[in-house]
């Protein structure tokens, strides 16, 4: 495994562990608080990251394989997110923890197998209107956007 891959795996694993710890330590009251940025409860935001953001592995696999990423716009993503929020309004901490552990382990395992060349492969991603490398997609969707969601959840529960 290259140094670059090791660093990305470590960053992802650290993020996932922090997310798990946060969810694990949420009280029932905190779980139901509404995050101002998303307009969803802490529980729904946590489920969104565990299922939706970690689902980005499929797009990374497409980039690495040289396949075209489906033409998904930000508007379509927003609609999918709204539908996901409705469907998972009553999700539990246990459900989200199971997703974080399962999907996090799968994502980390996949990342460990990526080479320098794999991380640098690019594909067109309509949602951002340009090409993105496999590593950039991981950093944008998981580490940056997922981290923003975690910050949003912390902000509402630490007040």
């Amino acid at each position: 495994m290259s140094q670059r891959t090791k660093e990305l795996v470590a960053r992802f694993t650290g993020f996932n562990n922090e997310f798990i710890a946060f969810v694990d330590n949420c009280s029932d009251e905190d779980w139901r608080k509404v995050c101002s940025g998303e307009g969803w409860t802490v529980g729904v935001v946590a489920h969104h990251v565990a299922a939706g953001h970690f689902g980005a592995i499929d797009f990374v696999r497409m980039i690495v394989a040289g396949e075209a990423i489906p033409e998904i716009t930000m508007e379509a993503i927003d609609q999918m997110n709204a539908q996901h929020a409705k469907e998972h309004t009553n999700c539990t901490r246990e459900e989200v923890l199971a997703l974080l552990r399962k999907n996090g382990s799968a994502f980390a395992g996949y990342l460990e197998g990526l080479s320098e060349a794999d991380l640098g492969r690019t594909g067109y991603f309509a949602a951002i209107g340009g090409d993105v490398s496999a590593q950039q997609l991981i950093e944008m969707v998981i580490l940056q956007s997922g981290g923003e969601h975690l910050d949003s959840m912390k902000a509402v529960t630490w007040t």
Side-chain angles (χ1 to χ4, degrees):
M1 184 179 345
S2 74
Q3 186 61 34
R4 184 172 155 197
T5 302
K6 285 180 187 175
E7 289 171 4
L8 189 58
V9 169
R11 287 173 61 204
F12 170 76
T13 302
F15 169 76
N16 195 47
N17 289 341
E18 181 181 3
F19 211 98
I20 288 170
F22 175 83
V23 169
D24 199 32
N25 290 310
C26 267
S27 68
D28 289 343
E29 180 184 346
D30 285 344
W31 196 247
R32 292 185 297 270
K33 289 182 179 177
V34 176
C35 298
S36 61
E38 296 85 353
W40 304 331
T41 64
V42 168
V44 170
V45 174
H47 194 282
H48 166 77
V49 172
H53 283 247
F54 286 13
I57 192 172
D58 293 333
F59 292 149
V60 175
R61 283 187 175 125
M62 289 175 180
I63 290 172
V64 169
E67 299 170 2
I69 299 172
E71 293 273 333
I72 299 175
T73 64
M74 282 308 297
E75 182 179 285
I77 290 171
D78 290 343
Q79 290 172 353
M80 288 185 290
N81 289 342
Q83 183 62 36
H84 180 269
K86 284 181 191 176
E87 292 172 3
H88 298 283
T89 299
N90 297 314
C91 65
T92 65
R93 279 190 306 283
E94 293 74 23
E95 177 186 351
V96 172
L97 286 168
L99 280 171
L100 287 166
R101 289 183 177 113
K102 177 184 167 209
N103 293 345
S105 177
F107 208 105
Y110 176 73
L111 290 179
E112 289 172 353
L114 295 179
S115 67
E116 287 278 329
D118 292 334
L119 291 174
R121 290 189 204 285
T122 61
Y124 180 78
F125 193 47
I128 64 165
D131 286 344
V132 63
S133 72
Q135 181 170 350
Q136 288 171 324
L137 186 63
I138 294 162
E139 290 172 339
M140 285 187 318
V141 174
I142 305 294
L143 301 174
Q144 180 184 341
S145 183
E148 290 168 0
H149 285 307
L150 181 57
D151 290 345
S152 178
M153 293 186 304
K154 286 178 179 178
V156 74
T157 59
W158 291 353
T159 55

